[in-house]
Amino acid sequence: VAWPAGRSSSPPTWAATAPTSPGTIGGFAVVGGTGDYARLHGAGSLVGTSTGGGTGILDVYTGILMN
């Protein structure tokens, strides 16, 4: 996740399900933040696909975040 340049606060804390072979499925929820992200909240789902060769998983997050 890329955060806007010039922000003095840290990105929010969030949780997602654990990876499963050969990808990831599940949900996520924003559970906290600081500074500019202190009021950030929201949730959504994620679907991941193996990048092949056991080198990683590409996760796509879909949902709504509000601040």
Side-chain angles (χ1 to χ4, degrees), residues 13-52:
T13 304
W14 54 280
T17 60
T20 59
S21 182
T24 306
I25 56 171
F28 72 92
V30 173
V31 296
T34 63
D36 292 335
Y37 302 105
R39 296 180 0 166
L40 190 66
H41 62 283
S45 62
L46 67 99
V47 176
T49 305
S50 172
T51 59

